[in-house]
Structure formats: structure tokens, C-alpha cells
């Protein structure tokens, strides 16, 4: 009889633990209505998120941003421009687990292969035609692609490499919502070939099965040190 009760309690405890792990799988759930971010104290150690402003001092502007209607400059080498609205831009987003991006594309512009380590992305096209895709993890490395037009929505699952390419000869525009106040971004080419300091070229030549001259060329392209 006692044993049955104990087993029951253990089961309930495990279920609870399982549920709370699911509930906090990405950004942790807030413990209050809001926690508007304030400047981290320079003497503080890093926190998971940002310090909260005194709720009595919070105003509507802590939850507000304007200007996302303005087209961005897409004249860089890639022909794209990502405007991220995260908790750094809207302090009221702190602890709330969402963020937003505006992505402008010149004709044939590319948002190059990248990963958001902390967020799934829900992508909606407002203008133009975009060829988008993501690749699953090893061992399958399956590529999922789609051609999207205005009004179409596509999901990029958390942690997977994905890209968006403007397949049309007009500008394209998309917005994304992301499941983290700070989705993070790892742009594959820049991270691998433009790390600071640079990764030893022998490592990259072997990893990518490339001639070392090609590795040196790519490191020149992506390094901010301009070696
Ligand atoms: C994105 O657009 C803004 C505003 O037009 C501009 O200041 C910024 O340099 C652009 N970024 C890139 C990477 O082109
Ligand atoms: C866009 O950025 C480029 C390079 O930074 C600059 O030469 C150009 O004038 C900018 N265009 C606009 C419309 O601001």
C-alpha cells in the first residue's frame, strides 16, 4: 500500500519535472507580468537575460518601437539586410521569449545559410518571390525547399541551417517572428572562415576537403582582420 503511494508520488514528481522541462525548453517562462530590461550593472556577473526595471518606472515606450515600415539599404555584397528587433531594441521583450525581424532583399539578394541557436523562426513574405530552405541534422542532411510568394509562410526549426534567396528581379520583403528574446545568429561562412582569430587553415582544408589556397582565399573574403 505504502509502496503504491510512493510510486504514485514518484510518477507525479517525474511528470511535473518533465512538464517543467518542456515549458522551459527555450526561453524560460516569466515569473511576473513583465521584466522590462534595464542596463546591466557594470559590476554584475552575466545573468540569463537582463535585469528588470522597477515596474513602477515602466512606461508604454518600454514596449514600443517604430520605423519597421522603412525599407533598408540592400546594396552590400549579399543584397540583403536583416533588421532584428530583440530585447536589446525593445526592453519590454526581456523574459518574454519572442522577437521579430524585417528582412529586405535586393533583386537576387541572399540571406546566406545561417543558424539561430535559440529560436525557431516563422517567416512570412510580404513582397516578391523567395526561394527558401533548411537542412536537417546528420545523418540525413535532408534539404527542404519552397518558393514563396506574398502571403506565404514558412517555418525554420530551431538550430537548423537555413537560407532565403530572392529569386525574382524585383525587391522582396519578409518579416519573421522568432521564439526567443535573443535568437542569436551563426552565419556559416563568416563563422567558419572569418573567426577571430582565424581557424588554422590546415583544419579547414581537411574539414572541407579543399586546397589550402582556396581556404586562404575564403579567409581573406570573410576575415575582418583583412589578412
Ligand atoms: C541595413 O540598412 C540600414 C539602413 O538602411 C543601414 O544603415 C545598414 O548599413 C544596412 N546594413 C547592411 C549590412 O547593409
Ligand atoms: C546604401 O549603402 C551604400 C554603401 O554603404 C551607399 O553607397 C548608398 O548610398 C546607400 N544607399 C542609400 C539609399 O542610402
Amino acid at each position: 500500500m505504502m509502496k503504491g503511494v510512493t510510486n504514485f508520488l514518484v510518477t507525479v514528481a517525474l511528470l511535473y519535472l518533465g512538464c517543467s522541462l518542456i515549458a522551459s525548453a527555450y526561453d524560460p517562462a516569466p515569473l511576473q507580468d513583465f521584466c522590462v530590461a534595464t542596463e546591466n550593472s557594470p559590476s554584475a556577473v552575466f545573468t540569463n537575460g537582463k535585469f528588470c526595471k522597477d515596474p513602477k518606472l515602466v512606461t508604454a515606450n518600454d514596449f514600443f518601437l517604430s520605423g519597421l515600415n522603412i525599407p533598408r539599404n540592400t546594396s552590400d555584397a549579399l543584397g540583403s539586410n536583416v533588421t532584428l528587433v530583440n530585447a536589446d531594441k525593445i526592453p519590454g521583450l526581456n523574459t518574454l521569449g519572442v522577437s521579430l525581424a524585417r528582412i529586405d532583399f535586393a533583386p537576387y539578394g541572399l540571406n546566406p545559410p545561417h543558424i539561430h541557436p535559440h529560436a525557431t523562426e516563422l517567416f512570412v513574405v510580404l513582397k516578391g518571390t523567395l526561394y527558401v530552405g533548411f537542412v536537417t541534422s546528420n545523418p540525413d542532411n535532408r534539404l527542404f525547399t519552397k518558393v514563396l510568394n506574398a502571403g506565404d509562410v514558412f517555418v525554420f526549426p530551431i538550430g537548423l541551417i537555413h537560407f532565403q534567396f530572392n529569386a525574382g528581379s524585383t525587391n522582396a520583403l519578409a518579416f519573421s517572428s522568432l521564439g526567443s528574446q535573443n535568437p542569436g545568429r551563426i552565419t556559416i561562412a563568416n563563422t567558419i572562415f572569418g573567426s577571430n582569430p582565424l581557424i588554422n587553415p590546415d583544419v579547414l582544408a581537411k574539414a572541407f576537403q579543399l586546397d589550402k589556397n582556396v581556404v586562404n582565399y575564403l579567409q581573406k573574403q570573410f576575415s575582418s582582420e583583412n589578412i
Side-chain angles (χ1 to χ4, degrees), residues 72-76:
R72 272 29 188 198
N73 189 327
T74 53
S75 65
D76 71 347

Side-chain angles (χ1 to χ4, degrees), residues 92-117:
L93 275 180
N94 192 37
T95 76
L96 297 185
V98 292
S99 54
L100 176 77
R102 174 189 169 111
I103 309 128
D104 289 81
F105 298 87
Y108 310 111
L110 173 70
N111 189 9
H114 63 281
I115 294 169
H116 301 297

